[in-house]
Amino acid sequence: MGVRLIADSGFTKTDWRLVNEESKIEQARTAGINPYYQTEGEMLEVIKDLHAQLPQKVDEIFYYGTGCSSGTNRDKIAKLLAQYYPEATIDVNHDLLAAARSLCGDEPGIACIIGTGTNSCLYDGQKITHNVPSLGWAIADEGGGTYLGKTLVTDYYRKDMPEHLRKIFKEKFALTKDDFLVQIYQQPIPGRFLATFAKFIGEHIKDPYMYNLVATGFDTFITKNVLKYEGADKLPIHFTGSVAYYFGTILRAVAQEKGLYVKHISEHPIAGLTLFHQ
């Protein structure tokens, strides 16, 4: 079989698994890679970090990443990987296929990602047959970490957040409106910055305001994405991503209210992908 390197790369981080010829598994984690927002130099630094952690000779690389629905971006990632793993056969795919293979295996279903960003697809057990366009954090990504963070901070500055939570938020972040606007409009990868506020939401999720903020985000995601797939009320629906995982109870409740069956919710697809490629 040879030595295989498997990657699941999102906006925030990349999980890597190295499977040797004896099926022994090594792992590494690096920063995320997104060819829509990062230069080739920035992405190459991530791969350099990976190679420092896993310097072994590799025969095959199976890379799944956000932003890789574009053929141009897939070629770009493959060329960057080849600089550090020149002898490897490299296969680059979209992170949505990673979710489908990891969650559904060889069974039909609907696979969804709700992490920093969001996406979804209809999967027939072998391939993706339909995808409602994600459109990214600036336009959509309903229910994802960036979307929730954007909603939270907007409510804070416009005083739509309950006062007791506003006081806690102000003490924790000491973030002026100007500080916030600089982060969004003058610093790189603002979506990743917005997603960091999801942790604050989780710390106060028992508060009705926070619960409703998350539930509304999930309701919007399901309405604008999942319900557009034929057979959504009959097929198992799976989710992967940190936001889906940590707010899984809310996600299941929202789906149940709409008559949908949620089967698997995983934090990361990398474990299922590793099994798929072994």
Side-chain angles (χ1 to χ4, degrees):
M1 181 179 72
V3 178
R4 295 184 170 189
L5 180 64
I6 303 146
D8 169 53
S9 187
F11 208 162
T12 306
K13 59 180 169 41
T14 307
D15 286 315
W16 307 84
R17 297 292 185 272
L18 186 79
V19 184
N20 69 17
E21 294 173 331
E22 289 77 40
S23 294
K24 180 182 176 181
I25 298 173
E26 296 182 55
Q27 60 185 11
R29 176 169 285 181
T30 65
I33 296 175
N34 190 321
Y36 282 119
Y37 296 100
Q38 293 167 293
T39 66
E40 290 191 10
E42 289 170 334
M43 292 187 288
L44 196 60
E45 282 297 313
V46 177
I47 297 169
K48 179 181 178 182
D49 179 25
L50 163 70
H51 191 260
Q53 297 182 58
L54 299 174
Q56 297 94 321
K57 177 182 175 294
V58 172
D59 298 298
E60 294 178 281
I61 298 176
F62 298 95
Y63 177 96
Y64 299 86
T66 187
C68 290
S69 58
S70 155
T72 299
N73 286 345
R74 289 196 295 271
D75 290 343
K76 188 181 296 183
I77 296 293
K79 289 176 182 177
L80 294 174
L81 286 165
Q83 292 189 40
Y84 281 91
Y85 298 96
E87 299 177 8
T89 300
I90 301 171
D91 183 28
V92 178
N93 281 292
H94 197 282
D95 59 348
L96 197 53
L97 183 60
R101 286 177 169 176
S102 175
L103 295 166
C104 303
D106 58 0
E107 298 292 331
I110 296 172
C112 306
I113 299 170
I114 304 185
T116 301
T118 66
N119 211 335
S120 64
C121 69
L122 184 64
Y123 182 71
D124 68 1
Q126 294 185 325
K127 63 183 183 298
I128 293 171
T129 59
H130 185 43
N131 164 237
V132 176
S134 169
L135 302 178
W137 75 271
I139 299 175
D141 274 353
E142 301 88 359
T146 298
Y147 179 93
L148 297 178
K150 181 166 56 175
T151 304
L152 181 81
V153 177
T154 300
D155 283 359
Y156 170 75
Y157 287 116
R158 291 180 173 173
K159 298 185 179 181
D160 292 323
M161 182 189 295
E163 189 58 32
H164 67 282
L165 288 173
R166 290 191 77 248
K167 290 179 180 178
I168 299 171
F169 185 95
K170 183 177 181 179
E171 290 174 2
K172 184 176 180 68
F173 296 107
L175 193 67
T176 69
K177 185 182 73 173
D178 288 340
D179 292 335
F180 175 72
L181 294 176
V182 166
Q183 285 286 341
I184 296 301
Y185 295 106
Q186 296 181 19
Q187 298 300 317
I189 318 183
R192 187 183 295 172
F193 165 72
L194 286 166
T196 62
F197 294 102
K199 184 178 180 180
F200 180 79
I201 296 172
E203 291 169 352
H204 302 278
I205 195 60
K206 292 183 180 180
D207 189 286
Y209 164 83
M210 293 297 193
Y211 185 99
N212 289 332
L213 188 153
V214 174
T216 300
F218 287 161
D219 185 277
T220 305
F221 174 83
I222 290 172
T223 300
K224 291 185 175 292
N225 296 275
V226 177
L227 291 179
K228 293 185 177 179
Y229 297 115
E230 185 177 356
D233 59 336
K234 300 178 180 65
L235 289 167
I237 304 167
H238 311 272
F239 293 85
T240 189
S242 56
V243 175
Y245 182 78
Y246 286 105
F247 299 130
T249 301
I250 302 174
L251 180 56
R252 289 185 185 277
V254 171
Q256 187 174 19
E257 288 176 1
K258 294 182 174 296
L260 304 176
Y261 168 54
V262 175
K263 191 172 183 181
H264 298 306
I265 300 179
S266 70
E267 185 175 4
H268 310 292
I270 191 66
L273 279 178
T274 304
L275 288 172
F276 183 88
H277 286 292
Q278 274 185 287

